[in-house]
Amino acid sequence: MRHLKGGLAAFLLLAAGPAWAKPVLDVYTYASFTSEWGPGPELERRFEAQCGCDLVWTSVDDGVAMLARLKLEGDSSKADVILGLDTSLTDSARSMVQVAPHQLDLAGLDLPVAYDDPDFVPYDWGYFAFVYDRTRLAEPPKSLAELAEADPSLTVVLQDPRTSTPGLGLLLWVKAVFGDDAKAYWEKLSPRILTVTKGWSEAYDLFLKGEATMALSYTTSPAYHMVAEGKDDIRAAPFAEGHYLQIEVAARTANAQEPELAQQFLRFLVSPEAQAILPTSNWMYPADRDGVELPDAFEELVQPERALLTDAATVSANRAAWVDEWLASLAR
C-alpha cells in the first residue's frame, strides 16, 4: 500500500508537469534571424525577461521555406507566431494557415508606403539591391537594363524565387520594371548569372569570396561592413528604375496554443526596445524609428528615388506563372 501510494503520487506529479514549468511560445522564422549574429538571441533574452515564458524558435532556411512548412503542417502546426514572411507572401500565407488579427495601432510606423494589413505586423524593411566591391568594380551598372548589357566578364549571384524571399523580390522587381518583356530580360541577363542559390546567405558568401562581381542583397548590406568590420569597400548600386521594397512581417496564428503570449510578442516586436535591435543585427530599417538611433553608416546608404512594390493579391495570383517564366528563360 505504501509503495502504491508513492507510485500514484509520482504518476500524478508527472501527469501534471512540474509546477515551475513556464509557458512556451513557439515562433517560426528563418535561419539567419536566429543565428548568433542575427536579432533572435537578443530579442529572445529581452522578451523572456518580461513574459515569464520560454520563447522557442523554429528556424527554416527562408521565409519561402517557412511558407512551404506551414502548408505541409496545416492546422496541426505548433506555431504561435510566424515571423519572416514579407508582404508579397501574406495572401499566400493566409491560404495555408489561419492568422488572427493583430489588434495593434500601427499608425505611427515609419514605412515608405501606406500599410493597412489587419493581420500581419511589419517589423522592419529594406530595398533589394545589387552589391559590389568597389575595389574590384569601378563603374557598376546603373540600372537593371545596364546590368543585363554589362561586359560579359561581370557575373552576378542570385537566389531562387522558389526558396528565397530575396529571389522572389528580384522576380517581382524585374516584373515591375519590364512587365510582359520580363522573359526577354531574364534571357539577356542569363549569361551573366554565375549561379542561383537556395538562399541569401549562400549567395552572399560566394560574393564575399570573390566568386562573382555582384550579388543580390539589400541597400542596407554595406552598413554591416562599415559598422561591424570598419570597411567601406562594399557598396550597393543605385538603379534608375527604382528598387523593390521588402517589408518583413509577423503574425499570430489563429490556432496558437499561447494566444496572449503571441499577442504580447507582436506588441514587443514593434516596441522601441525591440526596434532598436534590428538595424544592427538584421541590417534593415526599423518599422518604427521613434527612439531608435541609427548608426552614421546608414546616412551613406543608397536612397532609392522610387520604391517598387506589387500588392500581395497580385503576387499570389501570378507567382507560379512568373516563376515558370523565370525557369523557362534561364533554361534556354
Side-chain angles (χ1 to χ4, degrees), residues 91-102:
D91 265 30
S92 298
R94 285 189 183 92
S95 69
M96 298 174 191
V97 62
Q98 289 187 313
V99 292
H102 56 64

Side-chain angles (χ1 to χ4, degrees), residues 62-64 86-89 126-130 144 158-178 185-186 198 200 216-218 242-247 307-310 315 319 322-323 326:
D62 186 274
V64 178
D86 64 27
T87 52
S88 64
L89 292 171
Y127 292 103
F128 294 116
F130 284 90
L144 285 172
L158 309 180
Q159 296 92 48
D160 192 327
R162 296 169 296 177
T163 55
S164 159
T165 53
L168 178 60
L170 179 60
L171 186 82
L172 301 177
W173 189 1
V174 168
K175 202 69 185 177
V177 172
F178 296 101
Y185 178 79
W186 286 117
K198 187 177 179 182
W200 174 87
L216 175 66
S217 191
Y218 296 86
H243 289 244
Y244 201 83
L245 176 64
Q246 182 182 50
I247 302 173
L308 304 172
L309 187 66
T310 304
V315 175
R319 185 161 63 105
W322 291 346
V323 168
W326 172 80

Side-chain angles (χ1 to χ4, degrees), residues 277-318:
I277 294 170
L278 296 170
T280 53
S281 56
N282 216 31
W283 301 100
M284 298 280 274
Y285 292 103
D288 187 353
R289 295 196 191 187
D290 188 22
V292 178
E293 185 174 350
L294 295 176
D296 292 343
F298 277 71
E299 296 296 321
E300 299 182 37
L301 302 179
V302 167
Q303 301 297 324
E305 295 183 359
R306 184 183 176 202
L308 304 172
L309 187 66
T310 304
D311 66 89
T314 300
V315 175
S316 181
N318 295 281

